């Protein structure tokens, strides 16, 4: 997971995106899920951990993670 965080942080820096706590919290939440997930499940997990993010932030972060591969 630490390697993924480093790669993601490097991708964000290289491409002019901000490294926000929300993006890294979403990354942590995704890696805590076993198997498939959807945005509704992810948003619920974030809310349960008292980390409120908009659906737009979830979708945008997922897109950034996919681009960073």
């Amino acid at each position: 997971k630490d390697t993924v965080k480093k790669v993601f942080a490097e991708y964000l820096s290289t491409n002019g995106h901000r490294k926000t706590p929300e993006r890294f919290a979403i990354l942590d939440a995704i890696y805590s899920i076993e198997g498939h997930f959807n945005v509704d499940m992810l948003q619920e997990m974030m809310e349960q951990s008292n980390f409120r993010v908009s659906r737009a932030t979830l979708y945008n972060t997922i897109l950034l993670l996919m681009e960073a591969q």
Side-chain angles (χ1 to χ4, degrees):
K1 188 159 103 173
D2 290 334
T3 302
V4 174
K5 282 184 180 182
K6 288 178 187 176
V7 169
F8 188 47
E10 184 177 313
Y11 173 81
L12 293 173
S13 293
T14 302
N15 291 283
H17 298 288
R18 293 181 300 130
K19 293 185 266 183
T20 64
E22 291 84 3
R23 288 180 174 156
F24 289 98
I26 292 166
L27 178 64
D28 285 337
I30 288 171
Y31 270 84
S32 71
I33 298 171
E34 291 186 25
H36 297 283
F37 67 92
N38 61 37
V39 173
D40 292 328
M41 179 190 298
L42 186 56
Q43 187 170 26
E44 186 176 315
M45 284 183 66
M46 298 297 293
E47 288 176 1
Q48 287 175 354
S49 63
N50 293 322
F51 214 106
R52 300 186 77 83
V53 294
S54 69
R55 291 178 72 78
T57 299
L58 291 172
Y59 279 111
N60 289 333
T61 301
I62 291 169
L63 289 174
L64 287 171
L65 287 165
M66 290 173 28
E67 291 171 4
Q69 311 183 20

